[in-house]
Amino acid sequence: MNTEVNICGVTLKNPVMTASGTFGSGREYSEFIDLNRLGAVVVKGVADKPWQGNPAPRIAEVYGGMLNSVGLQNPGADWFIENDIPFLRQFDTKIIVNVCGHSVDEYVNVVKKLRGADVDMLELNISCPNVSEGGMAFGTDPVMVEKVVSAVKREADKPLIVKLSPNVTDITLTAKAAKEGGADALSLINTLTGMKIDIYRRQPVLSRKIGGMSGPAVKPIALRMVYEVCRAVDLPVIGMGGISNAEDALEFIMAGAVGVSIGTANFVNPSATVDTIDGIEEYMRKYNVEDINDIRGIIE
Amino acid sequence: MKTVENAAVVSMLNLTDDVRDMTIHCPVIASEAKAGQFVELYPDNGVNLLARPISICAIDAENGNIRLVFRIVGKGTEIFSRLSAGDKIRVLGPCGNGFSPGEGRAVLVGGGIGVPPLLETCRQLKGEKTVVLGFRDKSDVILCDEFEALGAKVYIATDNGSLGFKGNVVELMKSENITGDMIYSCGPKIMLKFLSDYAKERGIACLVSLEERMACGIGACVGCVVKIKDGDGWTHKKVCKDGPVFDGREVIW
């Protein structure tokens, strides 16, 4: 039985990874699970300098999901390189660095700092809805997508994944623009913009009013978008959005995703990633799937 | 070391109209837990996904139990309130840094549903203990007799004066001139702010236990931040991992 998948020349022991921003750099979850089991750890967004993010409250629960407006709080690339890469390298898993910035220059600065760093891939975050500059502001405009991707690609010495925003009319347009810019792979979806109001306090729950929605409630939308992108663009796709278990993950794989990321489900069950890996293997044994790659994209 | 246990409910009592006293059997968490830490309880109903942070009121490591006293404030706590002895609930913990009860004259100050984590802290304190508790009304008073049973001198304030001092805990402390070497406190943010000011004026060290909306409870989601002084500026610290207990002088209210 083979669960290995290949993304841009990088071999992952299985297709299951973590969605950026839900898993830190793995330290917290290493108390609950064996990080050696994971196909890859996609770390929380890294900027060129430390970011403080948005004021609290940053979290709101919604039906079957949650909203967040964290705003990419992170200690910066220098801290990440010094502390998190050595931590993660203790484990036999791939390291994918999510790269964020307020401007093209800031994205490029992070990628420059990461040149020669012992990581496996980069994921360009042009889809965070919780920052006023960069993030989704770049990721919803195909012209801007191509511009920032090509600027980053020129400086990158690792395969470049571009993470797409679902907050667009036609996600295949930004997917194609990312490919034109030189993306090696695509990941989707980032969160959907959403809102919650506390009717007793007559105020939005989130201090930033609008946040990004994630969790099981968004899964059908994410799956549809992964399916559309897989059919429209000839690049490896990493699927995410509400994946909580092996059944969910297998849906994304059948829709065409080469890899799958677990996000919000980590908050609901700290061992969601390894439970998903176990469940995929169980499915493969039970239904005689010799190679996980055999069922990828079987939905026409 | 944190873990997830499928805990059995040992008992469920009503302390007031909306405050429940639940003891659960989770031997691993109970053996690791410290005063002032909290656990994450999962509603597990398929709709309310996120765990609810609940402070630990008492630890019985010998029997593998922890006691949780919580107010019904929303869907999650409403679900927990319907549990009864023998039911199971998924629990993650212990979370956060806790109080580390020390020597000297201790003053424990609690407001409303901030009172419970002070009980285990009080039990572990060795020296002289003064307890100041504030509630909205006498019908909201909880755990007062248990603090007295631990040998503490207990003062009560109620907003409407229906029991004890009429006013808030800080006004009570001013009026009684309450002092000590270390304040351990938990309650509404506004209470903790004025308490920190009181402590600062009198040169008393003051630990405050904060709360904030959180998703993971272990430091990964970076949802539950509070502004903490950092040199000439400030930084966002995580309530779940760096706290919930902070030095009151460091918090930017």
Side-chain angles (χ1 to χ4, degrees):
Chain A
M1 193 171 80
N2 175 55
T3 58
E4 275 186 9
V5 296
N6 185 296
I7 305 175
C8 315
V10 178
T11 301
L12 279 62
K13 61 177 74 171
N14 63 59
V16 177
M17 39 192 126
T18 60
S20 179
T22 65
F23 205 76
S25 284
R27 241 184 224 95
E28 292 80 9
Y29 284 97
S30 67
E31 284 194 54
F32 299 91
I33 61 164
D34 178 4
L35 298 183
N36 293 300
R37 300 267 335 261
L38 305 179
V41 171
V42 184
V43 304
K44 181 165 173 58
V46 176
D48 67 340
K49 294 190 174 68
W51 287 10
Q52 289 294 355
N54 296 321
R58 294 174 167 184
I59 303 287
E61 190 180 65
V62 295
Y63 198 97
M66 61 176 281
L67 300 170
N68 89 81
S69 62
V70 171
L72 296 170
Q73 180 178 336
N74 78 93
D78 296 336
W79 196 96
F80 172 80
I81 291 165
E82 195 176 328
N83 295 277
D84 286 355
I85 296 175
F87 169 78
L88 279 168
R89 270 296 171 239
Q90 299 172 82
F91 302 95
D92 178 22
T93 187
K94 300 301 178 192
I95 304 173
I96 301 177
V97 186
N98 184 279
V99 174
C100 55
H102 295 117
S103 63
V104 175
D105 284 349
E106 286 189 19
Y107 284 108
V108 167
N109 285 345
V110 180
V111 171
K112 279 182 177 168
K113 283 183 175 177
L114 287 166
R115 287 184 77 134
D118 187 11
V119 301
D120 296 289
M121 301 179 88
L122 306 174
E123 181 182 61
L124 187 65
N125 183 353
I126 51 167
S127 43
C128 176
N130 297 320
V131 290
S132 47
E133 296 161 312
M136 197 177 94
F138 285 0
T140 51
D141 172 6
V143 175
M144 199 62 214
V145 169
E146 187 176 338
K147 187 178 162 193
V148 65
V149 171
S150 62
V152 168
K153 177 64 185 173
R154 272 197 296 276
E155 301 296 336
D157 65 348
K158 303 288 184 319
L160 181 67
I161 306 163
V162 175
K163 187 166 182 178
L164 301 178
S165 170
N167 301 299
V168 291
T169 309
D170 181 355
I171 196 165
T172 66
L173 298 181
T174 43
K176 285 172 185 163
K179 187 181 179 187
E180 287 301 309
D184 299 299
L186 302 172
S187 60
L188 58 143
I189 59 174
N190 206 316
T191 54
L192 291 139
T193 50
M195 192 173 181
K196 182 173 180 173
I197 292 170
D198 181 335
I199 57 168
Y200 304 104
R201 290 172 53 239
R202 302 185 181 194
Q203 279 177 12
V205 174
L206 298 174
S207 68
R208 205 167 179 271
K209 298 179 185 169
I210 289 170
M213 182 176 170
S214 61
V218 311
K219 198 195 76 180
I221 300 168
L223 184 64
R224 183 265 296 174
M225 289 188 169
V226 165
Y227 174 74
E228 286 177 345
V229 168
C230 287
R231 290 168 70 86
V233 183
D234 184 23
L235 282 180
V237 168
I238 299 161
M240 72 201 73
I243 300 178
S244 304
N245 52 44
E247 289 84 353
D248 295 342
L250 287 161
E251 284 191 72
F252 280 76
I253 290 167
M254 289 184 184
V258 61
V260 288
S261 290
I262 311 277
T264 300
N266 290 304
F267 305 152
V268 185
N269 168 16
S271 45
T273 45
V274 292
D275 291 354
T276 299
I277 295 164
D278 290 343
I280 289 173
E281 290 174 1
E282 197 182 315
Y283 176 91
M284 290 173 70
R285 272 191 298 275
K286 192 169 174 188
Y287 297 99
N288 297 314
V289 179
E290 295 249 317
D291 186 335
I292 189 76
N293 296 290
D294 292 346
I295 56 170
R296 182 170 69 245
I298 56 168
I299 305 302
E300 300 246 318
Chain B
M1 191 76 179
K2 287 183 272 295
T3 190
V4 177
E5 286 185 273
N6 203 18
V9 175
V10 176
S11 63
M12 173 73 82
L13 304 167
N14 293 354
L15 293 190
T16 71
D17 281 355
D18 61 356
V19 176
R20 299 292 177 266
D21 179 351
M22 178 169 77
T23 297
I24 59 173
H25 184 65
C26 47
V28 181
I29 293 171
S31 71
E32 295 273 332
K34 295 190 297 182
Q37 287 188 304
F38 66 96
V39 294
E40 286 266 272
L41 294 184
Y42 293 94
D44 275 337
N45 63 347
V47 173
N48 300 101
L49 300 174
L50 301 178
R52 272 53 175 171
I54 308 283
S55 66
I56 299 172
C57 175
I59 304 160
D60 177 2
E62 198 179 325
N63 292 306
N65 296 340
I66 58 171
R67 180 183 176 196
L68 307 170
V69 171
F70 60 93
R71 176 181 287 152
I72 303 167
V73 292
K75 290 194 181 77
T77 44
E78 197 270 327
I79 288 166
F80 308 147
S81 74
R82 281 190 265 120
L83 296 168
S84 53
D87 288 344
K88 289 289 180 75
I89 181 160
R90 212 158 50 94
V91 55
L92 181 157
C95 301
N97 56 359
F99 274 119
S100 306
E103 308 288 315
R105 293 171 303 154
V107 183
L108 297 95
V109 185
I113 204 60
V115 170
L118 300 177
L119 190 64
E120 180 64 32
T121 310
C122 185
R123 193 179 66 79
Q124 294 184 15
L125 284 165
K126 297 284 175 269
E128 181 190 313
K129 296 174 272 204
T130 303
V131 174
V132 185
L133 307 178
F135 302 95
R136 287 169 301 190
D137 180 83
K138 68 177 179 189
S139 64
D140 296 313
V141 174
I142 53 170
L143 305 174
C144 174
D145 49 340
E146 298 194 48
F147 283 101
E148 281 172 345
L150 292 171
K153 177 159 180 54
V154 180
Y155 295 86
I156 302 267
T158 51
D159 293 346
N160 58 11
S162 55
L163 185 72
F165 180 85
K166 183 176 192 295
N168 64 45
V169 289
V170 178
E171 289 163 348
L172 186 159
M173 290 171 77
K174 281 179 182 160
S175 123
E176 296 287 339
N177 198 26
I178 290 172
T179 188
D181 299 313
M182 174 68 87
I183 293 174
Y184 302 85
S185 65
C186 186
K189 210 166 182 178
I190 188 75
M191 176 198 111
L192 298 177
K193 178 194 184 302
F194 286 111
L195 181 65
S196 293
D197 293 344
Y198 175 88
K200 198 174 170 185
E201 284 160 19
R202 293 171 190 239
I204 312 169
C206 181
L207 296 174
V208 296
S209 180
L210 303 179
E211 67 174 350
E212 187 50 69
R213 286 174 183 273
M214 53 182 74
C216 72
I218 61 174
C221 75
V222 201
C224 59
V225 291
V226 58
K227 276 189 179 182
I228 299 291
K229 285 179 191 160
D230 180 19
D232 293 335
W234 59 271
T235 188
H236 269 143
K237 294 274 190 186
K238 303 168 194 171
V239 170
C240 71
K241 190 176 179 180
D242 303 314
V245 177
F246 293 93
D247 182 333
R249 287 166 295 195
E250 302 292 313
V251 178
I252 298 175
W253 300 97

